Amino acid sequence: MAGLYYEDFVVGKEYRHEWSRTVTETDTILYTSITMNPAPIHLDEHYMKTTIHGQRLVPSLYTAGLIGGMIVHDLTLGTTLGNLGYTKFDFPKPVFHGDTLRAESTILDKRESKSRTDSGIVFFEHRGINHRGEIVHIAHRAGLMLKRPA
């Protein structure tokens, strides 16, 4: 599925990403940030000690980085020209160490670019889901996607 062009995205279609990741695999991740620039993030002592019912919580930004890394690699690698921004972030459920997360996306809309003839704008809703089937992360994003070469 990696490397879809603008024409390949279908409004309303749901993409289930192949990757999943267990949160305890590492406590440092090179992730794609909100600006799509790689940056390191570390779990600090505050989060390492925060618990609910004896389970250690994972910070929301770390969750967003994991989900964003899966989505960018699997869905838009090589055809994205830029991230036009996130319009919404929501974390309806907490994430704990030991949770396995997977990602899925829905194409909300797509439009021709007014400034570039070689690209179009695709509007995504990305969701992170834990192994219990609970949605733990929702993000709305617009991306500038390359059109298929003639």
Side-chain angles (χ1 to χ4, degrees), residues 19 21 29-34 39 41 58-73 86 89 91 101 137:
W19 287 17
R21 179 147 187 154
I29 182 173
L30 188 68
Y31 80 106
T32 305
S33 69
I34 292 171
I41 181 171
V58 174
S60 296
L61 187 59
Y62 184 72
T63 302
L66 283 172
I67 299 301
M70 288 186 238
I71 288 165
V72 168
H73 175 82
Y86 284 90
F89 267 105
F91 300 91
L101 303 178
H137 170 251

Side-chain angles (χ1 to χ4, degrees), residues 4-129:
L4 293 178
Y5 289 95
Y6 172 77
E7 294 88 354
D8 300 329
F9 289 100
V10 178
V11 175
K13 184 171 181 179
E14 186 175 279
Y15 296 89
R16 294 176 189 259
H17 304 284
E18 296 176 10
W19 287 17
S20 65
R21 179 147 187 154
T22 302
V23 177
T24 53
E25 286 180 12
T26 181
D27 62 3
T28 304
I29 182 173
L30 188 68
Y31 80 106
T32 305
S33 69
I34 292 171
T35 60
M36 295 312 228
N37 295 318
I41 181 171
H42 304 275
L43 298 182
D44 62 26
E45 288 299 315
H46 168 72
Y47 288 109
M48 297 298 281
K49 295 176 182 173
T50 303
T51 62
I52 294 179
H53 305 298
Q55 289 185 290
R56 285 186 297 145
L57 280 174
V58 174
S60 296
L61 187 59
Y62 184 72
T63 302
L66 283 172
I67 299 301
M70 288 186 238
I71 288 165
V72 168
H73 175 82
D74 198 32
L75 191 60
T76 62
L77 184 65
T79 61
T80 185
L81 296 175
N83 178 29
L84 300 180
Y86 284 90
T87 58
K88 174 186 176 185
F89 267 105
D90 191 20
F91 300 91
K93 295 275 186 180
V95 175
F96 301 100
H97 286 260
D99 283 358
T100 299
L101 303 178
R102 64 180 174 83
E104 62 183 36
S105 298
T106 301
I107 308 307
L108 300 177
D109 195 8
K110 69 180 201 177
R111 300 179 191 153
E112 296 284 332
S113 173
K114 293 179 181 176
S115 60
R116 295 185 64 151
T117 58
D118 66 341
S119 61
I121 301 168
V122 179
F123 297 87
F124 301 92
E125 179 183 85
H126 301 312
R127 292 174 300 283
I129 300 167

